[in-house]
Amino acid sequence: MSRRNTELLLLAVVGVAATIAYASVYAARFHDLRRDSIVTGVIFLVLFLVIHLTERRYLPQGDPYLVPLAALLSAIGLTEIYRISPALALKQGEWLLIGVALFVATVLVVRDVGRLAAYRYLIGAVGLVLLALTVVAGTSVNGSRLWIRVAGFSIQPSEFAKIAIVIFLAGYLNQNKEMLSVPTARLLGVPVPPLKYFGPLLVMWVLSLVMLVFMKDFGMSLLFMATFIAMIYMATARIAYVVAGALLFAVGAGGAYQYVPHVHERFAIWIDPWKTAATSGYQLLQSLFAMADGGLVGAGFGRGYLLYSNHVPTVPDLQTDFIFSAVANELGLAGGIGLILLYLLFSWRGYHIALQASDGFSKLLAAGLATVFGLQTFIIIGGVTRLIPLTGITLPFVSYGGSSLTANLVLAALLLMVSHHSLVVEAGSTTERLRLAEIV
Amino acid sequence: MDRAISRVFLVGAVLMIALMANLAWIQVLHAGSLRNAPQNHRVIAQQLRVRRGLILGFDGSTIAGDALRSGFYHRTYPQGPVAPQIVGYDSARYGQTGIESSLNGYLSGSDSGTQGLVDRLLGRHSPGANVELTIVPAVQKVAQTALGAQLGAVVALDPTTGAIIAAASAPSYDPATIDASFAALAKNPDAPLLSRGTQGLYPPGSSFKVVTATAALNLGKVTPTTPFNDSGTYSIYGGKVTNYHGEVFGAHDFTKALTDSVNTTFAKVGTLIGQAALIDQMRHYGFYQTPPLELPRGMVYPSGRYLGPRLLSPTAAMNPLDVAWAAVGQESVLATPLQMALVAAGVADAGQVMKPYLVQRITSSRGNVLQRAAPSLWTTATTPATAQTLNVMMQQVVNAGTGTAAALSGIQVAGKTGTAQRGASNVAWFIAFAPANNPKVAVAVTIENTLFTGGDVAAPLAAQVIKAALAQPSLP
């Protein structure tokens, strides 16, 4: 079966699953079923069929699993958001429409993913400007300055900046990987590359600290720094960068713990939420209580106890940062582990694409995107389950929020382009290449 | 580069596995303690979303009902408070007490059996089961009204079954406003939340003479006509037992010793039978056991000899003076009004003490009877012959003794007064049953902190309750 037919089959399965999930919520809410549930499932499927057709036309050899995974995650997200608030689900549906448009636009505009390497500094600069905009024009929510308002929409630029920075790093690290791999000097007994090449990396470190101090966004700061460390390691295979990077981040985080009250509080909650059960620890404890209620299999979509009678969620920010707790409550441990496995599968496809890629830039780009995706998942799920301190970032594809949903669809588009490109280039003769590209 | 990429993926996979392991800990291994954490109000909040079973009186009237307010059910009390210390309150903030607590599984519908299998599979929650009590609201209200502003308790039961007809405790409270009034109620020195009938431990005073008399008659040490002589004082073991208000009765028989409540004679009888026989008789009436009412642990106390808050062992050593005072219901003997009502019931029911109970029937929301009261023997106090002898003697108490205030026209009441000194005031008692030849109701009335005697304040109250109970078309 061709890659696209495999994808279509998987999408059909997702469409059925999405319809069942939505029908379950609908039945729990209204105690009967109507055609609406089926219609919603169909509309959802149509949106992903647009993506599928775009791939058929432009990326026939793209990975067949990424889009079905993204569709399944989006379906789970939309269902859970609908269950919490039908009005928000409608808005999220609109964002999905915009995300699909952005996916198609990315494929049409970029065409050849290798071209992005040439624009690495420009793209990197755009990423920086996006973040700078947040500091200058941003509005604060929950003590963090993360959003800018454009034409009535709240946009979280860091979600897009993360992709821009990964593109920049892939280009930059691919160009300089030899120099970065050969130490020419020693600092405190540790071999270090020439300062000239180290400069941009210090810029990254400063950037993550700026995010921490000025935007109070510990989650994104951690995500950027960790992605950066992982990428420089993948580019150079030198563990010294990991050690040095971890130390730098630890120093930065330690300083923030001392001097930034917001960060200090996050750590205090993590260490002992019970001490402040009625105040700052309330949200995390409610999240744990909600998950504990889920047990092995949960009560089912739409049947958990997630809303008070006045429709206020039992866990604050349930539809955004804490959406994982909602899923784990309603689908239990089975659903929670299943969701984590879906993220692991998505990342695995990303790394798989990186390993198949033919050039260094594509490899680093795919691996970087897979890393930023997987890490973001780990940071937010780890946060709401108290494995690590809670930092407010979104759960890709599932959390309510337009920026996260659209940015991650762009991320999927880039991975698919790398995947398609490497298969076409790797395949022998020109005829073969044209056949694979399905443009003959 | 490929090896490094694979390694990063492996690290990522390990992190994801850590997430899964942690999730298993939260949702399965550690879930129980998270669910039961005092900071976790989810369980109570969920129960408030399900219509709670009704608590009904024996007449079928609703004592505790339901009303829906903004998606949550809350309790209503259409008749006003009826035995609130027994029925209990149901508060999201302060939890539950009484029947609301002990039968919460049925009332909330969480108990298996109250939910149909189909409902459980579909995750639907059907309303809780209804609990029908043996409490007869009409009698309960007479008892509560009769207590009025006095501190005290009334326990009335059917001696032939053990069903509790009324259990009033004063002062009382309104469970409808518990959330607002709890703090004040909990601090009130008169303890309105206390179920005095089952939790109040009082010196039984002369009402205990029925127990002493039972032991002496059983052992054949005395008969109703055994002669005694009273000089106003009985000296023993370097101490003495005296009569109430220093009265001197002179020559009298054992019946008169009971009807006029002669302390010195009962002290002598106590010496005659000894510690072992006295304590043994107490145990046969149910002392030293917790009456098995359907109430939460700690809401029913056993009666017996106490040292401070601790129930002494039945074999705890006593000197002859202790035995003499215990035989007149003083020394360290403490009894709940429920236990003394059971003493009256034992005499009334030919020496048999039936197991006391509060729940007549539990019915699921679908109408299936889940539980039905089955009266059974709790303990045998004495022989039918001795019980009959005591019955006649106790009739004399009401007809010609200290309990004349309990007499009712057309109904022969049998009873025994008690007036125990506690601090500067009295604990006034009256235990009784009626009609004496075919007992339908047994009562214990306790008034604490009074300057009057049991015959003055407790006996008339008992008469009112007996009259109200016998006026009922049916009793449990």
Side-chain angles (χ1 to χ4, degrees):
Chain A
M1 199 188 295
S2 84
R3 296 192 129 198
R4 292 281 70 77
N5 287 345
T6 306
E7 180 180 275
L8 187 60
L9 188 70
L10 291 172
L11 273 176
V13 173
V14 171
V16 172
T19 308
I20 292 172
Y22 180 82
S24 169
V25 173
Y26 196 90
R29 196 177 263 272
F30 301 108
H31 305 291
D32 65 31
L33 278 176
R34 298 223 195 96
R35 270 207 317 277
D36 306 21
S37 352
I38 316 282
V39 170
T40 307
V42 169
I43 291 173
F44 175 81
L45 205 55
V46 164
L47 282 176
F48 276 89
L49 273 178
V50 171
I51 287 183
H52 174 74
L53 291 174
T54 309
E55 290 176 273
R56 272 195 187 272
R57 176 75 184 81
Y58 297 101
L59 306 167
Q61 296 305 318
D63 187 277
Y65 302 107
L66 280 177
V67 169
L69 282 170
L72 187 51
L73 290 170
S74 308
I76 292 168
L78 268 171
T79 307
E80 202 58 64
I81 293 164
Y82 176 75
R83 183 252 182 279
I84 295 164
S85 159
L88 285 182
L90 198 65
K91 280 173 104 177
Q92 184 76 348
E94 290 166 7
W95 277 111
L96 183 60
L97 189 68
I98 295 171
V100 170
L102 267 181
F103 179 98
V104 176
T106 307
V107 174
L108 290 179
V109 171
V110 177
R111 296 301 286 269
D112 178 4
V113 83
R115 287 190 0 209
L116 289 174
Y119 297 104
R120 60 185 178 276
Y121 286 107
L122 180 62
I123 293 169
V126 167
L128 283 181
V129 167
L130 281 174
L131 289 178
L133 264 179
T134 323
V135 179
V136 177
T139 48
S140 289
V141 177
N142 298 338
S144 295
R145 186 180 281 258
L146 303 177
W147 283 267
I148 54 172
R149 296 194 66 84
V150 179
F153 284 112
S154 266
I155 294 175
Q156 200 175 347
S158 53
E159 292 280 352
F160 294 98
K162 82 184 179 200
I163 295 176
I165 302 276
V166 167
I167 296 172
F168 160 74
L169 285 173
Y172 178 81
L173 291 169
N174 184 51
Q175 189 193 23
N176 299 305
K177 61 176 180 288
E178 283 79 17
M179 296 309 296
L180 288 166
S181 308
V182 183
T184 54
R186 296 181 87 84
L187 185 67
L188 301 169
V190 180
V192 291
L195 203 59
K196 182 180 154 195
Y197 299 104
F198 218 0
L201 311 181
L202 283 172
V203 169
M204 273 302 299
W205 179 62
V206 171
L207 178 66
S208 78
L209 285 185
V210 165
M211 292 176 68
L212 191 55
V213 176
F214 290 100
M215 293 161 66
K216 296 177 181 165
D217 190 352
F218 190 61
M220 273 294 167
S221 168
L222 177 64
L223 181 62
F224 275 52
M225 195 65 192
T227 303
F228 163 62
I229 293 168
M231 286 185 74
I232 194 168
Y233 170 71
M234 290 187 285
T236 64
R238 294 193 59 83
I239 202 79
Y241 283 113
V242 178
V243 176
L247 280 175
L248 278 176
F249 186 76
V251 168
Y257 178 76
Q258 286 292 323
Y259 301 110
V260 185
H262 181 70
V263 174
H264 187 94
E265 191 184 34
R266 287 293 169 105
F267 267 90
I269 294 167
W270 178 57
I271 290 160
D272 187 5
W274 302 95
K275 206 160 65 187
T276 52
T279 54
S280 57
Y282 178 81
Q283 188 181 34
L284 183 58
L285 282 181
Q286 293 307 314
S287 164
L288 295 179
F289 294 157
M291 286 186 282
D293 269 3
L296 265 180
V297 290
F301 263 132
R303 289 165 165 81
Y305 174 54
L306 292 176
L307 299 177
Y308 294 120
S309 59
N310 52 2
H311 302 298
V312 171
T314 59
V315 186
D317 300 327
L318 188 63
Q319 71 281 12
T320 53
D321 297 354
F322 282 85
I323 193 113
F324 181 80
S325 315
V327 176
N329 171 273
E330 298 208 308
L331 301 185
L333 179 64
I337 285 184
L339 195 57
I340 296 169
L341 280 176
L342 290 181
Y343 285 106
L344 187 56
L345 276 177
F346 193 99
S347 311
W348 170 59
R349 291 318 291 176
Y351 291 111
H352 181 76
I353 289 165
L355 293 177
Q356 282 191 329
S358 48
D359 63 292
F361 172 73
S362 297
K363 274 183 187 296
L364 280 176
L365 178 61
L369 292 173
T371 303
V372 85
F373 183 88
L375 266 175
Q376 180 161 354
T377 306
F378 174 77
I379 289 169
I380 186 58
I381 298 183
V384 300
T385 55
R386 207 183 148 221
L387 188 63
I388 58 171
L390 175 66
T391 57
I393 54 177
T394 58
L395 185 62
F397 293 120
V398 177
S399 281
Y400 171 74
S403 309
S404 170
L405 182 61
T406 53
N408 284 305
L409 279 169
V410 169
L411 182 147
L414 291 172
L415 282 175
L416 281 161
M417 280 192 283
V418 173
S419 166
H420 170 76
H421 184 76
S422 57
L423 241 90
V424 172
V425 169
E426 286 298 286
S429 70
T430 312
T431 345
E432 179 78 344
R433 208 183 306 169
L434 289 172
R435 194 189 63 74
L436 276 171
E438 288 178 15
I439 42 184
V440 175
Chain B
M1 193 182 270
D2 283 359
R3 258 184 68 184
I5 290 173
S6 299
R7 279 186 186 155
V8 169
F9 170 61
L10 278 180
V11 171
V14 167
L15 290 179
M16 293 293 190
I17 289 165
L19 284 182
M20 296 181 206
N22 184 47
L23 194 62
W25 189 72
I26 292 171
Q27 297 202 273
V28 179
L29 303 174
H30 190 53
S33 67
L34 282 171
R35 276 189 214 121
N36 296 328
Q39 292 91 340
N40 190 346
H41 301 299
R42 293 175 65 89
V43 175
I44 289 177
Q46 267 171 297
Q47 286 181 358
L48 288 180
R49 301 206 306 170
V50 175
R51 196 172 73 74
R52 196 168 172 78
L54 305 173
I55 298 178
L56 307 166
F58 183 73
D59 58 359
S61 66
T62 302
I63 294 176
D66 292 300
L68 191 63
R69 191 167 54 198
S70 60
F72 288 102
Y73 284 100
H74 67 103
R75 276 291 194 216
T76 59
Y77 301 89
Q79 315 183 46
V82 176
Q85 296 94 344
I86 297 291
V87 171
Y89 53 74
D90 174 45
S91 159
R93 198 175 307 166
Y94 300 107
Q96 295 147 340
T97 55
I99 292 289
E100 294 272 26
S101 168
S102 58
L103 296 183
N104 184 49
Y106 286 111
L107 290 166
S108 68
S110 57
D111 202 282
S112 61
T114 58
Q115 302 284 307
L117 182 64
V118 178
D119 282 348
R120 262 184 288 164
L121 284 178
L122 288 179
R124 279 197 300 236
H125 223 83
S126 55
N130 294 339
V131 172
E132 193 181 309
L133 299 179
T134 55
I135 299 273
V136 180
V139 181
Q140 175 74 28
K141 282 172 202 166
V142 167
Q144 194 73 53
T145 309
L147 281 169
Q150 304 172 94
L151 302 182
V154 175
V155 173
L157 51 85
D158 182 337
T160 62
T161 61
I164 309 278
I165 298 164
S169 180
S172 189
Y173 72 96
D174 185 356
T177 58
I178 189 70
D179 281 343
S181 57
F182 181 85
L185 290 172
K187 267 187 285 183
N188 188 332
D190 290 338
L193 296 171
L194 188 74
S195 164
R196 285 176 155 76
T198 58
Q199 289 176 300
L201 286 166
Y202 305 97
S206 300
S207 65
F208 186 79
K209 284 171 183 162
V210 175
V211 178
T212 308
T214 310
L217 289 166
N218 272 345
L219 290 169
K221 301 275 186 190
V222 292
T223 67
T225 51
T226 304
F228 288 93
N229 193 26
D230 169 48
S231 60
T233 305
Y234 171 59
S235 298
I236 182 169
Y237 199 67
K240 56 183 184 177
V241 174
T242 54
N243 291 324
Y244 185 70
H245 274 193
E247 246 180 295
V248 179
F249 293 93
H252 61 279
D253 64 9
F254 188 55
T255 299
K256 188 155 174 68
L258 189 76
T259 55
D260 288 5
S261 206
V262 184
N263 281 354
T264 56
T265 300
F266 271 88
K268 282 174 204 159
V269 170
T271 308
L272 214 57
I273 60 175
Q275 174 186 350
L278 184 66
I279 300 282
D280 198 45
Q281 185 59 59
M282 289 167 74
R283 295 177 72 174
H284 278 106
Y285 270 112
F287 285 76
Y288 292 100
Q289 295 178 62
T290 304
L293 284 184
E294 303 92 332
L295 287 173
R297 273 168 65 119
M299 265 199 72
V300 187
Y301 288 157
S303 304
R305 291 179 67 237
Y306 272 82
L307 180 67
R310 191 167 62 86
L311 179 67
L312 288 169
S313 154
T315 54
M318 297 169 81
N319 66 42
L321 182 63
D322 292 339
V323 175
W325 271 116
V328 298
Q330 296 275 351
E331 203 251 338
S332 53
V333 176
L334 295 178
T336 62
L338 171 65
Q339 178 58 62
M340 293 316 291
L342 289 168
V343 168
V347 176
D349 196 34
Q352 305 214 307
V353 182
M354 299 300 283
K355 191 169 138 182
Y357 62 94
L358 278 163
V359 177
Q360 184 64 27
R361 206 162 55 157
I362 301 176
T363 316
S364 80
S365 61
R366 245 175 252 87
N368 302 328
V369 175
L370 303 174
Q371 191 178 306
R372 194 193 295 274
S376 63
L377 181 68
W378 187 38
T379 169
T380 301
T382 180
T383 61
T386 303
Q388 184 52 38
T389 307
L390 282 165
N391 186 325
V392 173
M393 289 170 76
M394 285 170 74
Q395 291 179 38
Q396 279 304 106
V397 172
V398 176
N399 295 343
T402 50
T404 49
L408 287 168
S409 69
I411 303 165
Q412 177 62 56
V413 178
K416 179 69 193 88
T417 56
T419 308
Q421 276 131 335
R422 193 171 68 170
S425 63
N426 294 337
V427 177
W429 284 89
F430 195 71
I431 64 171
F433 56 87
N437 58 347
N438 179 24
K440 294 249 189 303
V441 59
V443 177
V445 176
T446 315
I447 308 292
E448 60 180 272
N449 210 11
T450 178
L451 298 172
F452 299 98
T453 64
D456 295 332
V457 291
L461 221 153
Q464 283 184 57
V465 174
I466 287 169
K467 197 175 163 190
L470 295 179
Q472 293 303 306
S474 70
L475 289 175

